[in-house]
Structures are given as structure tokens and as C-alpha cells.
Amino acid sequence: MLSISEIKSLLATPQKIVITTHHKPDGDAMGSSLGLYAYLIQLGHHVKVITPTDYPYFLHWLPNNSDVIIYTEQPEQSAALVAEAAMIFCLDFNSLVRINELGELVRASGAYKLMIDHHLEPEDFDDYRHWSINACAAAQLVYDFIVNELGDGAKMNKDIAACLYTGIMTDSGNFRFPSATSEVYRIAADLIDLGAEHWRIHQLVYDNATENRLRFLGHCISNKLEILREFNTAIISVTKEELKQYNIVTGDTEGIVNYALSVNGIRLAAFIIERTDKVKLSLRSTGDFPANEICKKYFNGGGHRNAAGGFSDKNLEDTIEQFKSVLIEYKTQLLQ
């Protein structure tokens, strides 16, 4: 592993740098990536943010978003940038499978690979690791990397603050998850002092739905919500035909699982979506119930204790039945 002094030496002269993040990036993925981008360009580096796929429209307002390259739309340019890079920052993921085809390009690259992440069980592909499962967001760790590890808090500006505040806000569940510690609030306060307009950021992320998205949400709650009181579990499942009916695009399903979790007495919520190639699951839980364990053991995934995801190669109906059968194993925990 590289030491922080070696990282400082590398960053002392202009480098070709790529920043990448996970498949279907969320607020933390894009906030941490563009926040780090806004810092590195001040140092004179040649920096590109490459995402494996597209990402929600309600994140397109982020500073420097227009400079982002989407791998699926520009694969040749992306491959060339990765091949030429001297340093590759891997943010908000810890396994190269999380960036799809881009992962093999990163693995083959001779660049130094720097991981900044807060997920369990990191893969050993990196040369430097700023990692903590106790952080509420990768954006929190990017803040810590710039301010405390590099000692370069003087370079923090309004653009960086807006990006990192977005990442922390979204991955902390708008500061309601247990990971939103007093330290997180102090960082948020510092970002506000630096110019992050917290009220505007909240509005742009949470009050920016399309009409289709709002009608789809109503359909999910009214017609697709299933409550399993014997397991204190709620399920919302949707077919690919329903996604097409409501013209659902990337980002429109974000957060819907939390409505299922908000039902009184529910400890575990699942949002199960039929996609073209596979069925995807998003799980949320309360307290110490291990949503990530279910995803890891049964659905090819993982994540945090209270927020996890996975997928199944079975059809939608069989995936739902498998999920329900798994609940029997966890019944005692779910009823506590």
C-alpha cells in the first residue's frame, strides 16, 4: 500500500487522473466523485470522471456534471483515458465487479489505484485505501481525505462543499440513519459554511420528481405493496411492463423501498424490480437486522447492514417466492 506521504508526492505534480464510481451511481457516488474532481483540478491535474452507466437526472445539477463521461455511451474514449491514467480513484465501491466492463480496464491498468469507500469486505485491487465502514458516506471520507489526510482544507470551496454535502445527505438518509453521528453533523456544518446551500440541495434532490415518477410511486404504494405481518416485512415488486407503462428512467425508482419500510411495525422492506436481464432487489431494514446478510447469502449482493442490494437470475415470481422463503430463517430476528 502507498503511504499518504507518497500520495502527496504524486499529487505534487500534474497527473492524468481518472475518477470512477459504481454502476448506476447514486447521490453519494456522484457527490464524492465530483467533489474530488473539483479539488484535483485546482491542483492542475488532468482529471476525468467516468461512470460505468448513466445516473439519475436529479443529480445532473451537480457542479462540473457536464464533464462526466459515461462509459456505456463513450466506451472507446473511456478505455483510452483509463489506459493513459497515472492514478485512478475508485469511490464508493470496493470490488471491480461493481463497475461492470470498466472493471477489467481498471484491473489491467498500470495506474496507481486509490480506493475511498465505506462498504464491507474490500477486494484487494488497490494501492491505497482510505476506508471505514463507520463512515456514513464515501463523501465523508473524501472530505476526511482532503482536509485531514492531505491537510489541504484551504482548497475546499463552494463546488466541493455542494458535492460532498449531497453525498452525505443522501447516504445518511437525509441525516436520519445511525451513521449520521455528531462528527457527520460537524462536517455538514463546515460544508454549509463553505457555501453548500443545504436547502437548495435538498430541493434539487428530493423535490424534483417527474410526473411519471410520482404516478409510478402512487401505483407502487396503492397496488403493489404487500405486507407480511408474520415477518414484519413489506414487499413492493414491479414488472418490466410496469416500468415501461410509466416510462421509468434511471433514478425514478430511487427511495421507493423506504416507503415500504415506513409502515408501522415493519423491520425489513424489499423493492424487487424485473429488469431486462435480471431481477434486482433493494433491501432496507431497521435496528440491527442484517439486510446485507440476506443479499450476500441468497442474492449475489451485499452492502450495509440496513441498506443492501442484490440480483437474481430467476424470474420475478420465483425471486419473490425465494425471498419469502428466506424470511423463515430470520423470523425470530424480524419479530424482536
Side-chain angles (χ1 to χ4, degrees), residues 87-336:
M87 304 174 74
I88 300 175
F89 282 87
C90 301
L91 306 188
D92 201 29
F93 72 95
N94 60 18
S95 174
L96 292 177
V97 298
R98 294 293 315 282
I99 56 173
N100 302 348
E101 294 87 352
L102 189 56
E104 290 311 308
L105 298 178
V106 171
R107 192 184 301 279
S109 168
Y112 290 114
K113 302 169 184 70
L114 301 89
M115 179 196 298
I116 301 179
D117 184 56
H118 63 137
H119 293 91
L120 294 165
E121 301 175 353
E123 178 189 347
D124 291 326
F125 67 85
D126 48 326
D127 301 296
Y128 172 82
R129 184 177 302 173
H130 191 54
W131 172 80
S132 172
I133 60 172
N134 295 318
C136 78
Q140 178 185 348
L141 292 171
V142 170
Y143 174 95
D144 186 59
F145 176 69
I146 296 171
V147 174
N148 298 318
E149 295 296 301
L150 296 178
D152 215 1
K155 291 288 197 303
M156 295 287 289
N157 59 28
K158 184 176 180 178
D159 284 353
I160 299 172
C163 291
L164 298 187
Y165 186 93
T166 300
I168 290 171
M169 179 189 73
T170 53
D171 243 34
S172 68
N174 203 18
F175 300 95
R176 75 180 189 274
F177 294 159
S179 58
T181 61
S182 59
E183 179 187 3
V184 171
Y185 276 90
R186 282 189 285 270
I187 292 171
D190 187 36
L191 296 174
I192 291 171
D193 288 342
L194 286 163
E197 297 175 308
H198 59 96
W199 55 272
R200 179 174 175 270
I201 293 170
H202 185 281
Q203 183 180 53
L204 288 167
V205 172
Y206 293 115
D207 301 327
N208 196 17
T210 63
E211 180 182 343
N212 285 336
R213 198 264 182 183
L214 202 59
R215 294 188 182 280
F216 177 69
L217 173 61
H219 170 68
C220 289
I221 294 173
S222 178
N223 303 317
K224 305 307 301 276
L225 176 64
E226 182 180 3
I227 304 295
L228 305 175
R229 287 292 179 187
E230 67 273 29
F231 297 111
N232 285 340
T233 296
I235 302 172
I236 296 174
S237 62
V238 294
T239 66
K240 57 187 176 183
E241 287 77 17
E242 289 169 312
L243 297 176
K244 184 176 181 181
Q245 176 187 349
Y246 287 91
N247 195 28
I248 295 304
V249 298
T250 297
D252 280 343
T253 61
E254 188 91 9
I256 291 179
V257 64
N258 294 320
Y259 287 91
L261 190 65
S262 70
V263 176
N264 184 37
I266 295 302
R267 292 210 64 201
L268 177 65
F271 187 46
I272 306 177
I273 313 174
E274 181 185 32
R275 297 291 188 182
T276 304
D277 56 341
K278 61 188 67 171
V279 174
K280 297 196 67 178
L281 299 90
S282 294
L283 302 189
R284 299 292 184 271
S285 66
T286 61
D288 60 358
F289 187 82
N292 57 341
E293 184 178 306
I294 291 178
C295 287
K296 182 178 179 181
K297 286 176 67 175
Y298 299 102
F299 297 106
N300 310 290
H304 305 291
R305 178 176 292 275
N306 299 124
F311 69 89
S312 171
D313 292 322
K314 299 179 180 179
N315 62 36
L316 180 62
E317 293 76 15
D318 289 346
T319 301
I320 294 170
E321 288 307 309
Q322 181 186 6
F323 176 74
K324 290 179 178 179
S325 70
V326 168
L327 297 178
I328 298 171
E329 177 185 343
Y330 293 91
K331 185 171 184 177
T332 301
Q333 291 173 263
L334 288 166
L335 297 180
Q336 288 178 352

Side-chain angles (χ1 to χ4, degrees), residues 16 18 50 77-86 88 105-106 108-111:
K16 290 185 176 180
V18 164
I50 304 175
Q77 183 184 3
S78 299
L81 288 167
V82 170
E84 295 168 0
I88 300 175
L105 298 178
V106 171
S109 168

